[in-house]
Amino acid sequence: MDSLKKKEKIIHTITTTSSNESIIDIGTEQNCINPSCFFCTMKEPDSMIRRAGLQSCFKEMPFRDSQALALVLSGLWNIAMTQPDDPEFPSLGVFHCMASLIQKGIDNRSWLLKDQNIYIPYYAAHIIGSYTMNKVKFAEKAVQSGVIPPLMDLLRGKISWVEQRVAVRALGHLASFEKTFDAVAMYEEDVVKSAMQLASNCLEVVYSKFVGVRDAKERLKYHSDLLTRGVGGLDTENRKAEEWACQLQRWSLNLLNCFACKERSLNLICRQDFLRDLCEMWGGLVMNHVSPSGVGLIRILCYSKHGRKSIAESKEVVRSLCNLSRSSDDWQYIGIDCLLLLLKDQDTRFKVIEVSALFLVDLVELRSLGNRSNVGDAIARVLLFYYRQSMLKLKNSEVQKVMQEIWDLKVERRKREKTMTEEMVEERRVLAGLIKQQGNHMFWLGNIEEASVKYTEALDLCPLRLRKERVALYSDRAQCRLQLGNPDAAISDLTRALCLSTPANSHSKSLWRRSQAFDIKRLAKESLMDCVMYLNGCIKTETAKGVKIPYHAARMISKQMEATWLFANLKSKTSSNQSSRVQELDGDSENYDKQKHDEMMRIMIEKKGLSTIGNEGVEREMERARSKKAVVARSMEGRWGSGLLRAEGEIL
């Protein structure tokens, strides 16, 4: 009974919503005389009569030429989204009805473009995807009802990217169940190739077909209506389109995961060009907390012999995994897992060790990462398992030095320090502190190289168990290396400091310094994530009132969000091809970019645990940063002119 009331409430909401909110300018007559009216049938109090009427509705819908059909499907979609586990509609033939409607839209172009039928394939595929999300018995019923062939046509792009999005979602759900996987696998090569193409090209398609089209008149109206439900202008459409593009890519990867988990079509998925594409499929802050995106599929591939072999042959992929393993990204552990799987395999170990050892050496003192413990020890064991054999085979002197360093740190030095008494430890702590003070004094005098030497002396002297003291020493030495123009060495030291911090990746100074070092190396994503974590630490150390976002952090975040924006590369390419723009369109673009940054800041605050500052505080701080930008801009423009001002880049 509660389920029926919820459905009636949804139907009432759909039929009474104002026409500017969706496709609902088609209304139903108050005194309806149509015996097959879906809305009237839903209001029938007798459950037996109502079920019979609904079953009849589902049978007749594909053959009915009604202006209200799009409205009916909109209502069905809302019910399916809110009650995906309710068995009533699946038991009455909703899957066969939706499959028939999709096929009709594909086969009958004139019908599709009549009235508001253009919305029907989208809603029909979404209804299938919602009902097959959780229940295997619904998935089996859907397959038996023939939903896969029409979904495959949508996946191939028979209509547009909007329908591809919901089709790949539904097929991903069907492929995720053991009992329905084979039905999808009947189209295996077609499915895998289409999903790969979507994952690689969907951002370009969404940008060129929608986001990059600034004039609303040139956009497909039904796309705009679906994205915004009829409410909002260009900015709202663009933000929603960006989210949908992320989903389209993520759901395509999810479909590929279903085949990769079963080691199916690996010869296609492991193509070198596609593996390189996977490394760039990040999803930004919008999806980073939800899905590992491309690196998630790479990890699945690392569990298979064929996958490891293909990944080991790509230096770009291995280096991308190495960068991820030394970042504060949510999926840092996935990068570590992938490298360890490659190093454990005798066939791939010596293909990747000369690159990965230079990165993993900085992680050998990492205790825990999330719910994983003794991560550093696991890394050291894998690297040192064939220590003698590795030293003989390795030709790179730098890698040999790194392996020797790990051996000395994890084996020799541990042995020596095991016999140290508490008095000896305290004596060394005091002595290391004195040397550190000397280093600090030299640093402030401008003797950067001498300061770096002093910090190294203190590190050699400081016992391993004094983790807090070693965090500060590594971080200070890294600052020297940054000043000396050696960002690689700085990143190494800062990663070691962050591994020693408790919890991992929590030392604010090291996060900010590493964000700067990553910025110098043009690793925008890594720089952004460190800056976000640094901001997290800044906010948590303040009281809830009067929280201030540091200006330098706001500037860095703005810069890196621009660089890592989902469509950044595509926008750059488009801009280079356009020699001039209309001034009012530039205004729209600037307004969208500002709102995009504001939206990303909100996502960052919500998803990265920055909970001590409320929405009003976020608005206040972003406005403060923009005001500060204006003050600085006026000052600089007066001194150096607007040309240099533009080169300074944007600040929140």
Side-chain angles (χ1 to χ4, degrees):
M1 185 62 68
D2 289 341
S3 176
L4 177 58
K5 287 181 179 179
K6 287 180 181 178
K7 290 177 185 175
E8 289 178 346
K9 185 177 180 180
I10 292 169
I11 292 299
H12 177 74
T13 302
I14 292 293
T15 55
T16 57
T17 306
S18 60
S19 62
N20 68 329
E21 289 185 329
S22 185
I23 57 169
I24 40 90
D25 51 328
I26 350 171
T28 51
E29 296 290 338
Q30 288 187 345
N31 300 317
C32 181
I33 58 173
N34 183 357
S36 300
C37 176
F38 175 81
F39 299 109
C40 295
T41 305
M42 284 294 297
K43 297 174 185 177
E44 171 59 51
D46 189 307
S47 61
M48 294 294 290
I49 297 175
R50 188 173 67 86
R51 285 177 60 84
L54 289 172
Q55 190 170 28
S56 176
C57 282
F58 289 142
K59 285 182 180 179
E60 294 177 12
M61 272 186 202
F63 309 103
R64 195 185 306 160
D65 193 10
S66 169
Q67 291 186 358
L69 191 53
L71 180 60
V72 171
L73 262 69
S74 178
L76 281 170
W77 169 70
N78 277 275
I79 293 171
M81 289 289 286
T82 55
Q83 302 177 62
D85 298 334
D86 188 333
E88 183 176 37
F89 288 171
S91 68
L92 297 176
V94 72
F95 290 128
H96 187 272
C97 176
M98 297 303 108
S100 300
L101 287 170
I102 294 172
Q103 200 63 57
K104 184 175 182 179
I106 292 169
D107 296 339
N108 191 338
R109 190 81 176 170
S110 60
W111 175 84
L112 182 67
L113 299 178
K114 183 180 179 183
D115 298 325
Q116 295 191 347
N117 294 340
I118 190 68
Y119 297 93
I120 289 175
Y122 170 85
Y123 280 122
H126 231 334
I127 290 165
I128 294 170
S130 297
Y131 277 123
T132 56
M133 187 164 43
N134 303 323
K135 299 282 189 179
V136 63
K137 62 180 181 181
F138 292 175
E140 289 182 279
K141 175 73 76 174
V143 169
Q144 293 165 6
S145 302
V147 301
I148 293 181
L151 288 176
M152 283 300 304
D153 280 341
L154 293 183
L155 181 68
R156 296 182 188 110
K158 288 293 181 72
I159 300 182
S160 79
W161 64 270
V162 165
E163 288 78 18
Q164 283 179 302
R165 169 179 167 269
V166 288
V168 76
R169 170 181 179 250
L171 288 168
H173 293 328
L174 294 173
S176 66
F177 295 112
E178 194 68 35
K179 291 185 177 180
T180 53
F181 173 80
D182 288 339
V184 180
M186 289 179 64
Y187 303 84
E188 182 170 351
E189 185 175 354
D190 202 357
V191 168
V192 171
K193 284 184 176 179
S194 296
M196 287 172 61
Q197 185 177 15
L198 265 181
S200 296
N201 301 331
C202 64
L203 301 186
E204 183 176 356
V205 170
V206 175
Y207 187 81
S208 62
K209 300 289 186 183
F210 197 86
V211 177
V213 181
R214 295 298 183 188
D215 188 352
K217 295 178 181 178
E218 295 181 7
R219 296 182 173 187
L220 289 179
K221 184 180 183 301
Y222 89 97
H223 283 184
S224 299
D225 290 342
L226 287 172
L227 284 161
T228 65
R229 305 291 291 170
V231 179
L234 285 177
D235 295 330
T236 306
E237 290 176 9
N238 287 335
R239 287 199 299 274
K240 199 66 180 176
E242 185 175 349
E243 180 185 336
W244 281 23
C246 283
Q247 291 173 347
L248 179 52
Q249 189 173 75
R250 179 161 59 97
W251 291 339
S252 299
L253 293 173
N254 177 61
L255 183 53
L256 292 172
N257 272 328
C258 296
F259 287 87
C261 285
K262 298 179 181 296
E263 299 190 21
R264 303 278 292 264
S265 293
L266 294 185
N267 60 317
L268 292 174
I269 300 173
C270 290
R271 278 177 12 204
Q272 290 297 310
D273 58 337
F274 184 65
L275 291 177
R276 287 192 293 271
D277 287 345
L278 286 177
C279 298
E280 302 299 320
M281 296 179 194
W282 179 49
L285 289 177
V286 177
M287 292 297 173
N288 187 257
H289 66 284
V290 176
S291 165
S293 296
V295 74
L297 179 54
I298 289 176
R299 182 174 62 163
I300 296 296
L301 296 174
C302 281
Y303 284 111
S304 67
K305 195 81 173 172
H306 189 283
R308 289 192 297 272
K309 181 177 180 296
S310 299
I311 290 168
E313 290 172 355
S314 174
K315 291 182 179 179
E316 294 94 332
V317 177
V318 173
R319 186 164 289 275
S320 178
L321 293 172
C322 289
N323 287 330
L324 177 61
S325 71
R326 288 201 310 185
S327 75
S328 53
D329 191 282
D330 293 333
W331 312 112
Q332 178 187 5
Y333 72 89
I334 293 183
I336 295 172
D337 283 353
C338 291
L339 292 174
L340 293 184
L341 288 167
L342 293 168
L343 288 168
K344 288 177 182 178
D345 188 335
Q346 280 293 295
D347 294 333
T348 57
R349 177 181 176 83
F350 291 100
K351 290 182 180 179
V352 302
I353 194 169
E354 292 198 353
V355 176
S356 61
L358 300 175
F359 290 78
L360 292 177
V361 64
D362 301 327
L363 303 171
V364 294
E365 292 191 90
L366 180 59
R367 282 184 176 172
S368 62
L369 192 62
N371 59 357
R372 296 162 181 252
S373 58
N374 302 317
V375 177
D377 287 342
I379 293 171
R381 279 196 300 271
V382 172
L383 287 172
L384 297 177
F385 190 75
Y386 297 104
Y387 173 64
R388 303 296 179 190
Q389 182 184 354
S390 298
M391 293 299 281
L392 291 173
K393 283 192 174 185
L394 292 172
K395 297 178 181 179
N396 189 317
S397 59
E398 189 178 357
V399 179
Q400 288 180 339
K401 181 181 176 182
V402 162
M403 296 293 287
Q404 186 63 51
E405 181 184 348
I406 299 173
W407 179 266
D408 291 341
L409 180 71
K410 303 296 285 187
V411 180
E412 301 296 339
R413 192 167 172 179
R414 273 187 177 182
K415 285 181 182 178
R416 292 196 303 269
E417 293 189 6
K418 257 187 179 180
T419 59
M420 290 176 62
T421 63
E422 290 299 323
E423 291 79 7
M424 294 171 67
V425 171
E426 180 61 19
E427 182 182 338
R428 288 205 175 192
R429 185 189 68 79
V430 172
L431 188 54
L434 291 172
I435 298 173
K436 179 180 182 292
Q437 289 179 12
Q438 293 175 6
N440 292 344
H441 181 66
M442 290 178 179
F443 182 86
W444 291 115
L445 289 176
N447 299 324
I448 309 300
E449 291 183 4
E450 291 85 347
S452 180
V453 171
K454 285 297 179 182
Y455 293 138
T456 301
E457 288 178 18
L459 277 167
D460 292 338
L461 192 63
C462 192
L464 296 178
R465 69 189 75 174
L466 300 180
R467 295 173 72 89
K468 186 176 180 180
E469 288 79 359
R470 293 174 67 225
V471 168
L473 287 167
Y474 272 124
S475 189
D476 289 344
R477 188 172 72 174
Q479 181 65 10
C480 293
R481 290 176 165 178
L482 267 179
Q483 296 278 355
L484 294 169
N486 191 348
D488 289 308
I491 291 169
S492 177
D493 275 352
L494 293 165
T495 302
R496 296 180 188 206
L498 290 165
C499 287
L500 290 167
S501 63
T502 305
N505 299 324
S506 63
H507 188 245
S508 291
K509 281 186 179 179
S510 296
L511 285 165
W512 172 244
R513 290 167 178 171
R514 195 172 67 171
S515 179
Q516 292 175 292
F518 279 138
D519 181 45
I520 294 170
K521 295 287 293 179
R522 302 197 178 195
L523 295 172
K525 179 180 70 173
E526 289 77 6
S527 176
L528 174 61
M529 300 307 290
D530 276 356
C531 198
V532 168
M533 294 297 289
Y534 164 70
L535 183 58
N536 185 13
C538 291
I539 291 176
K540 285 183 177 179
T541 57
E542 300 281 350
T543 58
K545 292 183 179 180
V547 174
K548 292 184 178 181
I549 296 175
Y551 173 70
H552 57 274
R555 177 173 180 148
M556 181 70 83
I557 287 173
S558 178
K559 175 183 179 180
Q560 305 305 2
M561 283 198 304
E562 183 69 28
T564 58
W565 180 45
L566 202 66
F567 302 118
N569 292 334
L570 296 166
K571 181 181 178 183
S572 177
K573 289 178 183 177
T574 303
S575 298
S576 64
N577 293 333
Q578 296 175 348
S579 57
S580 62
R581 293 182 180 180
V582 180
Q583 187 174 356
E584 64 181 78
L585 293 183
D586 278 342
D588 289 341
S589 176
E590 181 181 346
N591 186 45
Y592 172 50
D593 289 342
K594 180 181 76 65
Q595 293 201 25
K596 176 192 68 181
H597 287 159
D598 291 359
E599 185 69 16
M600 292 296 281
M601 179 66 85
R602 290 190 192 91
I603 292 168
M604 177 187 70
I605 295 290
E606 293 170 2
K607 304 304 181 183
K608 297 296 291 184
L610 313 186
S611 56
T612 60
I613 181 169
N615 288 337
E616 292 182 2
V618 176
E619 294 286 355
R620 183 176 63 252
E621 290 307 319
M622 288 191 291
E623 184 58 39
R624 184 186 68 83
R626 283 194 291 270
S627 299
K628 190 167 185 179
K629 172 193 174 183
V631 173
V632 174
R634 286 194 294 270
S635 173
M636 290 182 65
E637 192 165 8
R639 292 167 61 190
W640 293 297
S642 59
L644 182 58
L645 171 63
R646 285 193 296 272
E648 281 295 307
E650 289 194 344
I651 308 162
L652 281 174

